[in-house]
Amino acid sequence: MTRLRSGLAAACLLLLSARAAAAQEGGITGRVIDGVGRGPLAGVQVVAQRGADTTAVARAVTGADGRFALRPLAPGSYVVRTTGQAGRRPGTATVQVAAGATADAGTLELGPVLLEAVQVQATRPPVVHAEDRNVYSVKDMPVAAGAAADVMRTLPELEVELDGSVKMVGNRAVTIYINGRPSPLRAEALNEFIKNMPADRIDRIEVIPNPSVRFEGGDAAIVNIVLRRDVSLGLSGSVALNAASRGGNGLSGQVAYQRGRLTVFGGGSSRLWAFDDRTRELRQNLLSDPITFLDMDRRTDGRSSHASADLTAEWTLGEKETLWASATGYLGGWGDDGVSANRILDAEQQPTRIYERRTDSHSDFLSNDLGFGFRRIVDPQKNELSFEVRRNGSLRDGRGEFEEATSWQSEFSAIPYELRATRTEGDDRTLTAKADYMRPLGASSRIEGGVRASAMSQDNDDRLNVFTDPAAPDPSSTVVNDHTYRERQYSAYANLTHKIGRLSLQGGLRAEATHLRLEGATESEPPLERDYFLLSPSANLSMQVREGVDARVSYSRRTRRPGVWELNPFVQQTDPLNLRYGNPDLQPARTHSFNGDVSWRARITTLRLAPYYRRTEGEVEYVRTADEEGVVTSMPQNLTSAENYGASLNLSVRPGTWGTISASVSGNHDERRAEVLGPGFSRVSTGYGYSANASLQPRKGLSVQASVRGQTPRETLQGRYSSTAWTQLSVRKDLFKGKSSLDVRMTDPLGIHRTTFQSRDRSFSGSGSGRNSWGGRSVAASFTYRFGRPPQRKSTQAEGGAPAGGGPPQ
């Protein structure tokens, strides 16, 4: 009985103590409104934080009237803030809670981030060195005029040819990604896209010299073009008109819409090009006895057109979850009318045959890419989950006529008339499903992994009709190639990152299983079937040596499988003296790649040194050989090995928000061993390059950019290219209080661009030169009009200020 009384007394004492403590606790109430529309906002999360401690001690969600209540709270000072509204400026208030009282936080306004608030960041370094990539923010460039190709030409790591093709310094191939995914476009279509994508649609460009196992693909580096996601409440966007002295007239625009949980953004562009080019080549046949020569002089007038559009919609499910869907379409076409004057010469270079070949050809290309997915981001680049299903396809339709007529011939030969008419139809489809997941392991580690499955099919119908009588209704011969190509690929990867102080270690492994089948390439050969199982490791070590000094070393081993057109032995032959075939005996090329990167930042200056070394076993390269009749055949072959090493040194100076000046030099040593092909094929080449760029903003609303890039002569497996130089000057002026802008770009204003080449082999030698209109002097202008409220830029910055890459649209 005594124990029972003692227990009841203790319980009463605890109850009275709890009531006394509760009497000391208070709370905070308030209201959240839209800072633009001034109306109440429902479903907004509000947290209370204790002083300098960022840990939330109480949470609440606003009701339909925008009101919230945070309880219980001990007496003290609290910071009340809204959270979970990406891309919007949070509402905050400091509130003092007294014992047993409810404090009023007042009205918290949730508004869009103003553009002026973003511009404060313009003093940051022009490039961010992340764990595995270098990130260049296009919006931080005082001039972002022109197209994607114009922006990439200013980056010290990249070389962009005048036709739009991109490669790394050192002649290394790259794979173009758009928003973290491989571009569905290929070859000429991809080059046209890069030349025409408006620069003001790009948020940043990420250069990944040594991709980790997170990325599928071969041994190429990755250039990821991340498009802008500027949105504002309601509707906003821009429209631009483009014109150029040497062709390139077009229209482009972008649009964004945001309301509640829905965000929609996209854009489109169209462009018409007219161009002309001329090539001259004198080729000596060393196998004929006596020696003969072929003198070719070709002139071409061409035209190309393109139209592209993309649209992405996002629906926010909660604070961390988003559903998204995207669609991209590309329509392109190009054609040319050309005439080639050809002369067959004897040993004394006297003509034995003179003839002309006239060409009239065109090709159309249609590509589409559809995708949808889900992502959950708890902590960017630390705890993420994403699913994605994507379908892309393309249609090709090409026709051509290649007419050959002898205008004069020697008394010893009689060459008949010939017309080669071609027709090509192709249908490519790829379906891909993938899932990626990353999460932290303790406070200093992160693991990420993913799986991917894809199925690709290609159906191609090629026809070549040869007419030897201009009056004949039917061809004298017909060659048909109806091939089908099927590929199934399954892959999985795991990547572990661990941080020790300022040191970050990353290592991973990727496994790929691929089955391919090529059928119908030739009538006599059985279907070609291959199975590959590849293991690809990667490692990355990065360290902040001290404040302003960062270092990075990376390694990867990748395998590049031959593509369908490299394997297909049939390719349409439109010129009987220049033939091109695939090689079904090609083997994969395996590359070991090492990259280094050291950067020093001191106030306004950044100095960066980037050495590299690569060795490839079984490198694939097209090899040309000539026979006694002077017919040159080009076919891909596996070399014994290729070794490439070099370094680039870049200096960037940003005195202030008014400009950036940068310069870089690079050196490269390339050794290609080809004993497997016989004597005389191996080559060694050493070359140097340089570039300089000045982006200045002398006063508000006026920007000027000047660029120069050059390359010393370069040896190839079977020839030598001359030195080249390229210059560009751009001026941008804002008009009508920033609502519009006028961009003027001058290409090769000094008229210094020239290209010549020499060919040499044990079977032939030659020399030539080339010139095209898009490489010559030209002037282009673009007028842009913007509408809607000033946009707010949705940040996609990852940990440490390094933008995220890969995965679904950011």
Side-chain angles (χ1 to χ4, degrees):
M1 193 69 172
T2 304
R3 291 181 179 179
L4 177 61
R5 291 174 179 172
S6 300
L8 291 174
C12 293
L13 182 60
L14 289 173
L15 180 61
L16 292 174
S17 299
R19 288 182 175 177
Q24 296 295 317
E25 292 178 340
I28 299 176
T29 60
R31 186 167 179 257
V32 178
I33 66 171
D34 186 341
V36 178
R38 311 297 296 176
L41 290 176
V44 178
Q45 187 175 101
V46 184
V47 299
Q49 299 167 343
R50 189 69 180 263
D53 188 357
T54 59
T55 303
V57 296
R59 297 177 181 270
V61 177
T62 59
D65 57 357
R67 297 192 175 277
F68 64 89
L70 297 163
R71 292 192 179 92
L73 293 173
S77 178
Y78 294 88
V79 175
V80 179
R81 81 173 57 243
T82 61
T83 67
Q85 300 295 311
R88 304 194 63 178
R89 184 176 57 202
T92 61
T94 301
V95 182
Q96 187 73 32
V97 177
T102 298
D104 185 8
T107 300
L108 307 182
E109 293 188 2
L110 194 65
V113 178
L114 299 178
L115 184 63
E116 288 75 16
V118 177
Q119 289 179 335
V120 175
Q121 300 177 3
T123 58
R124 70 182 186 181
V127 56
V128 176
H129 302 283
E131 281 182 348
D132 62 346
R133 70 197 68 190
N134 294 321
V135 184
Y136 299 88
S137 176
V138 175
K139 76 181 182 66
D140 288 332
M141 298 179 181
V143 174
D150 301 314
V151 175
M152 285 191 279
R153 284 191 180 104
T154 67
L155 307 186
E157 298 162 280
L158 301 181
E159 295 179 355
V160 184
E161 303 296 337
L162 293 170
D163 64 355
S165 58
V166 183
K167 59 185 178 182
M168 293 284 289
V169 170
N171 203 36
R172 185 188 179 193
V174 304
T175 299
I176 299 296
Y177 275 51
I178 307 294
N179 283 345
R181 299 183 301 272
S183 169
L185 303 177
R186 295 292 183 271
E188 291 89 349
L190 179 58
N191 295 344
E192 289 293 313
F193 175 83
I194 292 173
K195 287 195 300 181
N196 294 298
M197 163 62 70
D200 60 5
R201 288 219 56 211
I202 302 173
D203 179 77
R204 63 184 185 271
I205 295 177
E206 302 175 345
V207 181
I208 310 174
N210 232 3
S212 71
V213 296
R214 178 179 184 176
F215 300 93
E216 66 268 12
D219 63 338
I222 290 176
V223 175
N224 184 28
I225 302 174
V226 182
L227 303 182
R228 290 173 55 174
R229 289 187 57 195
D230 291 351
V231 295
S232 62
L233 293 175
L235 183 68
S236 62
S238 65
V239 178
L241 295 173
N242 311 282
S245 62
R246 292 181 178 266
N249 305 318
L251 174 68
S252 63
Q254 53 185 309
V255 65
Y257 176 78
Q258 183 186 57
R259 183 171 184 177
R261 297 183 176 184
L262 176 66
T263 300
V264 180
F265 54 93
S269 63
S270 62
R271 190 70 62 94
L272 298 174
W273 283 90
F275 60 89
D276 62 87
D277 62 56
R278 178 177 180 178
T279 57
R280 182 74 183 269
E281 182 178 6
L282 179 64
R283 191 166 69 203
Q284 182 181 23
N285 186 355
L286 303 177
L287 296 183
S288 62
D289 187 17
I291 290 175
T292 60
F293 295 85
L294 172 62
D295 183 12
M296 295 182 292
D297 188 353
R298 177 175 174 80
R299 300 170 183 265
T300 301
D301 292 318
R303 64 275 176 196
S304 69
S305 62
H306 104 282
S308 65
D310 64 272
L311 186 67
T312 298
E314 297 181 351
W315 182 264
T316 303
L317 299 177
E319 181 183 355
K320 304 177 181 65
E321 297 83 12
T322 303
L323 284 174
W324 61 268
S326 66
T328 301
Y330 181 90
L331 175 64
W334 52 87
D336 62 70
D337 299 310
V339 58
S340 176
N342 303 274
R343 299 191 306 158
I344 305 296
L345 310 175
D346 59 20
E348 285 74 33
Q349 297 197 21
Q350 295 300 313
T352 60
R353 176 188 170 201
I354 300 177
Y355 63 98
E356 285 186 347
R357 298 190 76 247
R358 296 185 177 273
T359 63
D360 180 7
S361 62
H362 68 271
S363 179
D364 297 315
F365 182 92
L366 173 63
S367 173
N368 63 82
D369 186 273
L370 305 173
F372 65 91
F374 165 84
R375 65 176 178 263
R376 171 181 167 84
I377 302 178
V378 179
D379 195 355
Q381 290 293 286
K382 291 183 179 179
N383 194 340
E384 298 184 4
L385 172 67
S386 66
F387 300 97
E388 175 183 338
V389 176
R390 185 162 297 279
R391 192 268 186 195
N392 59 64
S394 62
L395 298 174
R396 304 183 307 277
D397 185 5
R399 299 171 184 262
E401 290 188 354
F402 305 85
E403 184 179 29
E404 182 177 306
T406 300
S407 58
W408 179 88
Q409 58 194 27
S410 72
E411 57 181 336
F412 305 106
S413 61
I415 307 301
Y417 166 92
E418 183 179 82
L419 171 65
R420 297 190 172 213
T422 63
R423 174 67 188 270
T424 299
E425 294 180 336
D427 184 3
D428 302 348
R429 298 173 301 278
T430 302
L431 180 64
T432 304
K434 60 181 295 188
D436 298 276
Y437 179 63
M438 69 171 63
R439 61 162 299 162
L441 294 177
S444 57
S445 299
R446 182 183 75 234
I447 188 170
E448 56 183 317
V451 293
R452 178 181 181 272
S454 68
M456 186 183 79
S457 64
Q458 181 184 94
D459 297 292
N460 208 77
D461 182 6
D462 286 341
R463 272 169 169 66
L464 169 64
N465 293 321
V466 181
F467 297 83
T468 56
D469 183 354
D474 299 318
S476 58
S477 63
T478 299
V479 180
V480 178
N481 174 241
D482 295 334
H483 81 252
T484 60
Y485 179 77
R486 301 291 184 264
E487 180 181 293
R488 302 291 184 269
Q489 185 181 93
Y490 307 93
S491 63
Y493 75 90
N495 212 21
L496 177 65
T497 302
H498 180 67
K499 290 189 175 182
I500 307 173
R502 296 182 176 183
L503 179 66
S504 177
L505 304 171
Q506 185 184 87
L509 182 67
R510 184 182 191 90
E512 282 185 5
T514 305
H515 173 77
L516 62 86
R517 178 184 175 91
L518 175 62
E519 187 174 2
T522 61
E523 296 181 358
S524 59
E525 296 293 332
L528 173 65
E529 291 195 75
R530 297 266 182 96
D531 286 287
Y532 301 97
F533 180 75
L534 308 173
L535 291 176
S536 304
S538 70
N540 187 293
L541 185 153
S542 60
M543 181 178 183
Q544 185 182 31
V545 181
R546 64 171 188 270
E547 185 67 28
V549 181
D550 298 298
R552 182 175 66 217
V553 178
S554 61
Y555 163 79
S556 69
R557 189 186 72 195
R558 287 298 182 103
T559 302
R560 187 180 79 84
R561 297 179 289 104
V564 57
W565 290 110
E566 292 175 317
L567 294 171
N568 190 350
F570 175 89
V571 179
Q572 286 184 350
Q573 311 303 340
T574 58
D575 185 346
L577 293 180
N578 295 277
L579 308 181
R580 186 182 178 97
Y581 295 96
N583 182 0
D585 296 324
L586 274 184
Q587 298 301 313
R590 292 176 170 82
T591 300
H592 297 269
S593 179
F594 298 85
N595 281 78
D597 193 315
V598 183
S599 63
W600 296 266
R601 292 188 301 274
R603 298 182 61 192
I604 64 174
T605 303
T606 300
L607 182 66
R608 175 176 172 269
L609 176 65
Y612 58 88
Y613 172 83
R614 289 184 295 275
R615 180 177 176 83
T616 302
E617 304 293 336
E619 175 73 292
V620 175
E621 187 161 328
Y622 274 87
V623 178
R624 298 200 304 166
T625 56
D627 61 17
E628 295 182 357
E629 301 300 323
V631 177
V632 171
T633 300
S634 179
M635 180 182 292
Q637 301 282 1
N638 286 111
L639 308 185
T640 305
S641 65
E643 196 172 47
N644 184 281
Y645 57 86
S648 63
L649 180 64
N650 175 255
L651 175 66
S652 298
V653 180
R654 174 164 284 198
T657 59
W658 53 268
T660 300
I661 301 172
S662 65
S664 66
V665 293
S666 63
N668 172 263
H669 179 83
D670 185 71
E671 183 174 350
R672 295 177 180 265
R673 303 180 62 86
E675 295 88 349
V676 66
L677 302 179
F681 279 99
S682 299
R683 288 286 184 270
V684 176
S685 174
T686 300
Y688 304 92
Y690 61 89
S691 67
N693 180 76
S695 299
L696 309 174
Q697 196 169 28
R699 59 187 178 88
K700 185 177 181 181
L702 177 64
S703 303
V704 181
Q705 183 183 49
S707 302
V708 60
R709 185 183 293 272
Q711 179 74 38
T712 60
R714 178 169 56 90
E715 297 283 343
T716 67
L717 190 68
Q718 294 181 286
R720 173 186 173 91
Y721 281 92
S722 68
S723 60
T724 59
W726 173 90
T727 57
Q728 181 172 285
L729 178 65
S730 302
V731 179
R732 177 173 182 165
K733 180 68 172 69
D734 289 339
L735 305 171
F736 308 116
K737 297 182 179 180
K739 281 288 186 178
S740 301
S741 62
L742 177 65
D743 303 296
V744 178
R745 184 175 71 258
M746 291 168 281
T747 300
D748 194 28
L750 304 178
I752 61 176
H753 178 72
R754 297 287 187 275
T755 302
T756 61
F757 62 90
Q758 292 180 338
S759 302
R760 56 175 178 267
D761 182 66
R762 58 182 178 176
S763 61
F764 69 93
S765 66
S767 62
S769 62
R771 179 194 60 79
N772 52 59
S773 60
W774 56 55
R777 288 180 175 177
S778 65
V779 178
S782 175
F783 177 79
T784 303
Y785 172 75
R786 303 173 185 85
F787 58 89
R789 297 188 180 96
Q792 60 187 42
R793 183 175 296 271
K794 283 195 174 183
S795 174
T796 55
Q797 302 291 310
E799 178 188 9
Q810 298 295 315

